[in-house]
Amino acid sequence: MNNAAVLNRRSFMVASLTGGVVLTLDASLTLAAAAPGAAPDVLNAFVRINADNTVTIGAKNPEIGQGVKVMLPMLIAEEMDLAWEQVRIEQTDADEKLYGPQVAGGSTATPRNWLPMRQVGAGARAMLVAAAAKQWGVDAGALTTARGAVLHKASGKSLTYASLGKAAAAEAAPDLAKVALKDPAKFTIIGQSKMGVDVPKIVKGEPLFGIDTRVPGMVHAAVMKCPAHGGTVASFDDAAVKAIPGVIAVIAVNSGFVPEGKTDTLLIVADSWWKASKAREKLVVKWDDAAVTGFSTAKYEKDAAALFAQTPQASLFKAGDADAALAKAAKVIKADYDYPFLAHASLEPQNCTALFKDGKLEIWVPSQNPGQGRAETAKLCGLSPDDLTIHLTRMGGGFGRRLMNDYMVIAGQAAKALPGKPVKVLYDRTDDFRHDFYRPAGWHRFTAGLDAGGALVALKNHFVTFGKDGKPIRAAQMAITEYPAPVVPNVDLDVSYMATNLATGWLRAPSSNAMSFVFQSFMDEVAEAAGIDLPELMRRTLGAPREIPGERVAFHTGRARAVIDAVCKNAGWKGRQKGRGFGFYFSHLGYFAEVVDIGVSDGVVKIDKVWMAGDVGSQIINPINALHQAQGAAIEGLGQAMIGQKLVQEMGAITAENFGDFALMRIDAVPREIAVEFLKTDFPPTGLGEPALPPVIPALANAIYATTGKRHRRLPLEMI
C-alpha cells in the first residue's frame, strides 16, 4: 500500500516574497524570519519561525478527536530538532494544492505522512545548517542542532533558527528522498506523550468547533428535508413563514444526494436559529416521494430471507471446491448472522457557515474530507473550486459522518442565494439522526466444514447486502480477504443485493465493525465444534508466518499470531471458560486481538475489563493519544454491540428522533479497565483510530455465550 504524500526537490523550493525573502517548502513548510521584536511573516504553509525562536507549525489534517493536530507537528518538530516547548500549533485552512491530502478517515494520517513530514523537517534543518556553515566558514558536517539552534562544538558558537531564516532561504533545496533522517534511537519528541493542543480550551468551553462559528452579520438557517430519503421538493408555500418577523428567506437547494436540477432541502433563514427552526412548522411542502416510501426495516428482513432461499447473485471469491469439501467433512457447522443500520450520532450536529461575496465563497466547516466538499460545493454553486476558501474547524465527533459534505454543499448554495450575508446552517438532533449516511445493515449465511482432525477445510458465506446494478452501494462491501478466507483451502464467498433508498456511508472501522462480529463469532462456533478455543483455532489456521497478498494490502499471519499470543498471555487466557470471550481482527493496516471479561448479576451482563494487544508498526508516535484512541475505540465498539443501537425505518424514513432512540455508552456501562499493549515491529507505522474497534464486538458476544450458553447472532446483543 503506497498512499504516502510524495514531495520532491522540484516542489520543495518555491520562490516567495512576503515582506522579504522567505524559504518556502511547497506542500510542506515555510520558514519565515522576522527581525527581533517584529511580527513574524504569516504565510499559508506549515511552519513559520518566530522572532523569539518559537516555531509555529501548521496542522494540515482535520482534527476529529484522533489527535492528528499534535501528531503531525510532532513529526516535523522532531526532525527540525526543536524542543517541544518551542512549538506552537495552528490548524491550517483546507488547501490540497499547498498541503497535499487533508482527510480524516481510514486511519491514513500516519502511513501517508510518517516519512513526508519527517523529510520536511529534516530538509528544513539541512538548509539551516548549510546557512550556518557558510556564515562560520566551516563544513556543515561539523555542525549539530538542538533546541532550535545550530551548534559548532569546536568553537562553542551557536545560532538560533530565527537568526538563520533569511540566509537559509538562499540555500538550494535538498533532495527529500535523500535527506538524512534521525535514528529513531535519538528521538526526543516522537515516542513521548504530548497533550492535545486544544485540551485546555475544550476544558474551559472556549469556542473551537464548527458549531461555535460566529461571523459579523451572520444569519441562521434551519433545514427541512423529505422524511423519506431521496424524496424531492414538488412544491412549497412559504407565505406564512415569510410573514414571521425575523425570517429572511426560504431557499430550495440540492444536498448532493438527488440528481442535478432537483431540490431536496428547504432552508428557512432567519436572524436567529430558533426563529428559523420554529418557522419550519408553518412551511407547507409537497414532496415527490412516491418512489421511496416503500422501504422499511420489515421489508429488508423479508427480502433478505427470500434471497437466502435463492442462488446467490454473484461470487466474490472462490478457492478450491467448497461443496465437495463440505460433503466429505467430518463436521459441518451452519449459522445465520446479521446486524442493523447504524447512525454516526456525533455529539455536534452537522453545521457549516458560508459567505458569498464578490464572486468568491468563504466557508467555515468541520469536515473530514474538505477537498471533496470543495469540489461538490463548487459544482452545485456554479463556481470554480479555486473560488472557495475553506477554514477548518475542530469537529465534535464525526466517525465517518463528516466524510460526506451535504452540510457544506447546502451552506454554499444558501450563501450564494444571499450574497454578502454569512449564513450558518445547523441541523438539529432529529435532522442529524434522520438524514445521516448510515452504516449499512447486512445478513450472512455461513457454512463451515471440519475434517476428522478438527482442521477447517471449507467455508461458505452467502452475504446479503444493498446494491444497485450488480454492485454494492457505498460502505456495503465485503472484502474477498475476510479472514479466514485466505487460509482455508476451499472457499465460496457469495453475495446478493437488494435495494434501499437510504444514504449510506462509512462508520468508524467501516465494514470491519460489522464483519468482525459475524466472522469471529462464527469462528468461535467452529472452534467449539473442533473442541478447541478460538485463539487456538486462529493459530492453526494462520499457519507459518508469511505475507498473504490482498485486494489492496497484504495480511501477515505472523503479526496476527503475535497479537493473539500477547493478549492471551496478558489476560491469562486458559482456554474456553465462563466470563471471557476473545476476538481478533485486521483492518486499516492494524492487527488487534482482544479479550473481554464480563460478569452476570441478576441476569444483567456487566463488562468488567477489556484486554487489548495491537500491532501498528515500529513506532507509537504519541503514546498517551494512542492509548486513548485504543480505549475509545473499544468503548465505541461496545456501544454498538450492547446498548440497543439499532435504527428502524418505516415508509422510507428513519424514525429516530434523539439519543433516547439511539443510546450512546454511559459511564456506568464502561469497563472498569481497558488494558492496552502495543507490539513494536519492523514495519512502517500505521494509524490506529479504527483497527482497535472491531475485535471487541465479537469478543463480547463470545464472552456472553461462554457465560450464559446463549449464542447471539444478531446485533445489538441481548444483554440480559
Side-chain angles (χ1 to χ4, degrees):
M1 183 175 183
N2 182 17
N3 60 0
V6 177
L7 307 178
N8 54 43
R9 187 192 305 228
R10 184 167 190 155
S11 67
F12 186 66
M13 188 69 183
V14 177
S16 176
L17 293 173
T18 304
V21 179
V22 297
L23 172 64
T24 303
L25 311 178
D26 188 36
S28 329
L29 173 74
T30 296
L31 291 176
D41 292 315
V42 179
L43 301 175
N44 208 9
F46 274 82
V47 172
R48 66 175 181 264
I49 298 178
N50 304 312
D52 61 358
N53 210 39
T54 59
V55 178
T56 301
I57 301 179
K60 75 182 182 76
N61 277 20
E63 176 57 64
I64 197 171
Q66 81 280 40
V68 74
K69 192 172 180 179
V70 170
M71 185 272 283
L72 292 181
M74 287 175 71
L75 302 179
I76 295 174
E78 180 67 76
E79 295 292 349
M80 282 190 71
D81 246 350
L82 297 170
W84 187 246
E85 57 266 26
Q86 293 175 276
V87 176
R88 308 291 181 265
I89 297 175
E90 291 181 359
Q91 178 70 60
T92 73
D93 283 346
D95 187 344
E96 292 196 345
K97 290 183 179 179
L98 183 60
Y99 301 113
Q102 293 175 278
V103 178
S107 296
T108 56
T110 295
R112 278 182 173 168
N113 295 288
W114 168 249
L115 284 178
M117 293 296 99
R118 290 178 61 202
Q119 289 168 338
V120 164
R125 175 187 173 277
M127 298 171 83
L128 289 160
V129 167
K134 282 187 178 180
Q135 183 166 329
W136 288 328
V138 300
D139 187 87
L143 304 181
T144 59
T145 55
R147 302 183 66 82
V150 181
L151 313 173
H152 185 224
K153 185 177 181 180
S155 66
K157 294 179 181 178
S158 67
L159 288 169
T160 65
Y161 286 176
S163 68
L164 289 166
K166 289 184 179 179
E171 295 297 320
D175 183 344
L176 290 187
K178 297 179 180 179
V179 70
L181 298 177
K182 274 189 178 181
D183 181 341
K186 296 181 179 180
F187 285 164
T188 60
I189 293 174
I190 294 174
Q192 302 299 311
S193 291
K194 304 300 179 186
M195 183 180 72
V197 65
D198 291 336
V199 168
K201 292 182 179 180
I202 292 171
V203 171
K204 295 177 184 176
E206 295 183 21
L208 282 172
F209 302 92
I211 201 170
D212 298 322
T213 300
R214 298 287 185 273
V215 180
M218 185 172 72
V219 295
H220 303 264
V223 303
M224 191 169 183
K225 290 173 169 281
C226 180
H229 283 236
T232 57
V233 178
S235 64
F236 66 94
D237 182 350
D238 59 2
V241 173
K242 287 183 175 179
I244 300 172
V247 170
I248 297 166
V250 177
I251 305 167
V253 302
N254 185 324
S255 71
F257 184 58
V258 296
E260 286 187 66
K262 299 281 188 178
T263 59
D264 63 341
T265 304
L266 293 167
L267 298 174
I268 298 89
V269 184
D271 57 14
S272 77
W273 186 83
W274 180 250
K275 286 182 183 178
S277 178
K278 293 297 289 182
R280 290 184 289 189
E281 299 172 2
K282 295 185 179 296
L283 185 61
V284 180
V285 186
K286 182 178 180 181
W287 301 103
D288 182 359
D289 61 359
V292 293
T293 55
F295 296 95
S296 68
T297 300
K299 183 179 187 303
Y300 300 142
E301 295 281 358
K302 182 179 178 181
D303 289 350
L307 288 169
F308 276 145
Q310 301 171 15
T311 301
Q313 296 172 1
S315 174
L316 294 177
F317 176 72
K318 184 177 179 64
D321 189 334
D323 287 329
L326 287 169
K328 297 177 182 178
K331 289 184 179 180
V332 174
I333 306 96
K334 296 182 178 182
D336 290 353
Y337 280 82
D338 66 83
Y339 43 85
F341 281 97
L342 288 182
H344 293 83
S346 56
L347 289 181
E348 178 193 21
Q350 311 316 306
N351 65 89
C352 181
T353 303
L355 169 64
F356 184 72
K357 186 176 181 181
D358 301 327
K360 307 289 184 180
L361 191 60
E362 187 173 9
I363 293 173
W364 295 260
V365 64
S367 172
Q368 291 181 243
N369 191 5
Q372 186 65 34
R374 179 191 298 276
E376 294 170 351
T377 303
K379 182 179 180 180
L380 283 170
C381 288
L383 301 172
S384 164
D386 292 337
D387 292 332
L388 275 64
T389 297
I390 300 177
H391 307 295
L392 293 177
T393 68
R394 190 179 176 103
M395 285 166 267
F399 318 110
R401 171 60 178 93
R402 287 181 162 98
L403 289 167
M404 316 309 296
N405 289 285
D406 49 313
Y407 44 89
M408 191 191 304
V409 168
I410 288 169
Q413 292 170 84
K416 191 177 180 188
L418 297 170
K421 290 184 181 292
V423 181
K424 182 175 186 177
V425 173
L426 175 64
Y427 289 25
D428 67 18
R429 187 67 64 196
T430 301
D431 298 330
D432 216 9
F433 270 118
R434 292 187 175 177
H435 298 283
D436 199 343
F437 289 76
Y438 307 99
R439 193 283 301 275
W443 294 259
H444 297 256
R445 174 156 289 177
F446 285 104
T447 308
L450 297 170
D451 67 13
L456 180 59
V457 294
L459 175 69
K460 294 184 70 172
N461 178 19
H462 184 180
F463 174 36
V464 173
T465 187
F466 298 94
K468 185 178 181 181
D469 301 325
K471 296 181 180 179
I473 59 175
R474 183 172 43 225
Q477 298 85 353
M478 181 177 75
I480 64 173
T481 50
E482 284 294 335
Y483 183 86
V487 292
V488 178
N490 303 285
V491 180
D492 277 348
L493 299 183
D494 299 320
V495 64
S496 294
Y497 299 113
M498 57 185 174
T500 182
N501 67 318
L502 292 180
T504 57
W506 298 280
L507 175 67
R508 187 179 186 180
S511 176
S512 305
N513 53 46
M515 298 299 166
S516 61
F517 165 65
V518 297
F519 274 90
Q520 284 285 287
S521 296
F522 180 65
M523 286 292 286
D524 192 58
E525 295 196 54
V526 174
E528 184 178 39
I532 55 178
D533 61 12
L534 181 53
E536 182 58 25
L537 179 65
M538 294 287 294
R539 295 184 186 100
R540 294 183 186 183
T541 55
L542 285 167
R546 65 199 187 282
E547 195 169 77
I548 301 174
E551 287 181 280
R552 291 181 296 171
V553 298
F555 174 77
H556 199 291
T557 62
R559 298 178 75 181
R561 171 69 178 261
V563 295
I564 292 169
D565 290 346
V567 80
C568 287
K569 179 181 177 182
N570 294 341
W573 181 271
K574 297 178 181 178
R576 191 177 297 274
Q577 62 189 101
K578 286 188 176 182
R580 316 200 90 177
F582 170 88
F584 163 85
Y585 207 73
F586 167 68
S587 73
H588 299 83
L589 305 180
Y591 298 78
F592 276 82
E594 301 175 26
V595 171
V596 171
D597 290 344
I598 67 171
V600 179
S601 178
D602 297 326
V604 177
V605 174
K606 172 68 177 177
I607 302 172
D608 180 55
K609 185 171 181 176
V610 174
W611 305 81
M612 182 184 300
D615 174 1
V616 289
S618 61
Q619 185 67 59
I620 302 299
I621 298 170
N622 188 355
I624 191 170
N625 186 68
L627 174 66
H628 293 164
Q629 281 288 288
Q631 291 174 329
I635 291 169
E636 186 172 352
L638 292 171
Q640 292 177 13
M642 66 181 282
I643 60 170
Q645 289 188 1
K646 180 179 180 179
L647 293 173
V648 175
Q649 184 182 9
E650 297 175 356
M651 296 291 292
I654 293 296
T655 61
E657 294 185 353
N658 213 313
F659 290 117
D661 304 309
F662 193 90
L664 299 184
M665 282 284 279
R666 303 294 290 268
I667 195 167
D668 60 345
V670 171
R672 65 173 177 83
E673 184 179 358
I674 302 174
V676 181
E677 179 188 7
F678 293 110
L679 280 60
K680 291 188 178 181
T681 55
D682 294 329
F683 295 89
T686 58
L688 58 84
E690 285 156 305
L693 185 153
V696 78
I697 301 174
L700 174 61
N702 294 338
I704 293 174
Y705 173 71
T707 306
T708 66
K710 183 176 180 180
R711 182 70 70 178
H712 294 270
R713 300 186 178 97
R714 166 171 285 195
L715 290 179
L717 305 172
E718 297 177 15
M719 297 301 292
I720 55 174

